Amino acid sequence: MKKKLEELNLLDDFLFGTLISHPVYGEHFAEILIKTILNRDVKIIKVVPQMNYYGQDTDRHGARLDVYIEEEDGVVQGDVQLSSIYDIEPDQNEDRISKESLPRRVRFYRSTIDVRNLQSGADYDRLKNVIIIMLLPYDPFGYGRMMYTVRNKCIEEPEMTYEDGALNLFLYTKGKIGAISQELKELLQYLESTTWNNAVNEPLREVQSMVDKVKYDKEVSISYMKSYERDWMMRNEGRTEERVESIKDFLSDLGPIPESVTAQIESETNLDTLKRWVKLAARSDSIEEFLQKM
């Protein structure tokens, strides 16, 4: 059952994406997030919500980043002032496969960002820092930590400095272990339960004011309804395709399926009819019996 718009929290893709893409509030919201997470001031250059990266070839996997943020970090290489790139991703997909593949997904995001941000012929010292921040209501690694900070290092010499500009932060909203700032603890609780009761400091009260204005905006409400309709249609399309394939699988065990039968099955869109046909195909002893009873 889809939540009502007013029930959404900032771990929900729609509310997070809507707020961070808002022409008035988006940049300030991004500043509050990064400043609280990194415990330092930031100077944001640009915020691009839902940055889409596609493979160079049509058969290559693409990536959709929830929010791409570029910050001027004051580091100068030669005559160029470098910037850092932040990819912030709320993620509520806590099924086993999604959790196990999370590190590889983060690796893919980073490689995609790197390839797209180093110009042809540029030296590698121009490669920007990339910080990927995952906001999670589940424990990605099972140690109960509020923050998991992951960098590359040398196994043989773990104290050796190895600075490749890559940093991954996994923030677990229900975590209990770890030394993080009080402001970040409050942010994590607020992300999962985005209410005035949890807006316990001034930056969070600012965010809650933005959230309220966004939630009760008529255009946002219409957009949310449309997104619900799109999700519903995609789910139904997926269920339709699944049932059509099940019918054809059962029938193929009985012999070659006539083209006219395949066409009739594939043109059917009523889910109840397809459900009945799946059961019928599973129980039929021949394609002729299926046709007589369908």
Side-chain angles (χ1 to χ4, degrees):
M1 187 72 178
K2 195 174 181 72
K3 295 179 182 177
K4 296 179 180 178
L5 177 58
E6 54 269 24
E7 296 173 341
L8 297 184
N9 60 48
L10 282 170
L11 291 178
D12 288 296
D13 279 341
F14 181 85
L15 182 58
F16 184 88
T18 300
L19 185 55
I20 207 134
S21 64
H22 196 279
V24 177
Y25 311 130
E27 187 170 312
H28 187 43
F29 174 49
E31 286 177 350
I32 291 174
L33 276 179
I34 297 176
K35 181 177 180 179
T36 305
I37 292 169
L38 301 183
N39 197 26
R40 66 171 176 79
D41 289 330
V42 295
K43 184 178 181 182
I44 290 178
I45 299 173
K46 64 180 177 181
V47 177
V48 184
Q50 295 193 349
M51 171 73 82
N52 288 290
Y53 287 108
Y54 298 99
Q56 293 180 345
D57 303 311
T58 55
D59 61 344
R60 299 292 182 181
H61 200 294
R64 182 188 67 80
L65 310 182
D66 278 344
V67 58
Y68 169 104
I69 300 170
E70 194 163 342
E71 177 209 5
E72 183 181 288
D73 57 18
V75 176
V76 177
Q77 295 273 17
D79 58 350
V80 177
Q81 181 161 341
L82 296 185
S83 57
S84 292
I85 294 171
Y86 299 89
D87 170 34
I88 304 181
E89 303 277 330
D91 181 35
Q92 300 196 70
N93 299 314
E94 55 183 303
D95 59 278
R96 181 183 61 82
I97 293 176
S98 295
K99 287 175 68 173
E100 290 178 354
S101 65
L102 181 60
R104 292 177 183 270
R105 176 151 54 99
V106 169
R107 169 185 158 194
F108 181 75
Y109 288 163
R110 177 180 310 287
S111 63
T112 306
I113 293 170
D114 281 342
V115 167
R116 297 289 179 154
N117 280 281
L118 188 65
Q119 294 182 353
S120 177
D123 293 332
Y124 290 109
D125 62 359
R126 298 296 192 267
L127 193 61
K128 299 172 182 178
N129 296 326
V130 177
I131 299 93
I132 296 181
I133 302 172
M134 303 298 298
L135 307 174
L136 310 167
Y138 62 88
D139 190 341
F141 307 116
Y143 292 92
R145 290 193 166 273
M146 292 174 278
M147 177 186 286
Y148 297 90
T149 303
V150 180
R151 290 183 182 273
N152 290 325
K153 69 175 184 178
C154 176
I155 300 299
E156 292 79 9
E157 298 289 345
E159 302 302 319
M160 182 186 85
T161 300
Y162 185 84
E163 182 51 65
D164 60 357
L167 174 65
N168 301 326
L169 298 177
F170 300 88
L171 301 177
Y172 172 36
T173 57
K174 299 184 184 72
K176 302 296 182 184
I177 300 172
I180 64 175
S181 70
Q182 182 63 27
E183 289 77 12
L184 181 50
K185 290 180 184 178
E186 292 165 353
L187 172 64
L188 294 180
Q189 183 178 6
Y190 175 77
L191 289 173
E192 186 162 1
S193 183
T194 306
T195 66
W196 277 106
N197 286 339
N198 288 321
V200 295
N201 59 49
E202 187 55 36
L204 293 183
R205 285 189 283 272
E206 288 185 61
V207 174
Q208 184 62 42
S209 293
M210 301 177 204
V211 167
D212 284 351
K213 290 173 183 174
V214 164
K215 281 185 175 181
Y216 294 100
D217 183 287
K218 183 177 291 187
E219 291 185 5
V220 172
S221 180
I222 293 172
S223 178
Y224 186 60
M225 291 175 62
K226 288 181 178 178
S227 75
Y228 174 77
E229 291 171 357
R230 284 195 300 270
D231 290 347
W232 182 85
M233 289 175 64
M234 290 176 66
R235 284 197 303 273
N236 274 357
E237 286 174 5
R239 291 165 65 191
T240 298
E241 292 173 2
E242 182 179 343
R243 291 179 182 180
V244 166
E245 290 305 313
S246 294
I247 296 167
K248 293 194 298 186
D249 284 344
F250 283 124
L251 292 181
S252 66
D253 292 336
L254 304 176
I257 308 173
E259 290 185 6
S260 60
V261 176
T262 298
Q264 185 176 355
I265 294 169
E266 291 179 344
S267 64
E268 181 59 60
T269 58
N270 185 285
L271 287 171
D272 290 335
T273 299
L274 289 170
K275 182 179 179 180
R276 181 170 58 84
W277 286 359
V278 169
K279 294 178 180 178
L280 180 58
R283 296 168 182 167
S284 295
D285 293 324
S286 66
I287 293 178
E288 289 73 18
E289 180 184 346
F290 173 80
L291 291 173
Q292 289 172 1
K293 294 180 178 179
M294 70 181 290

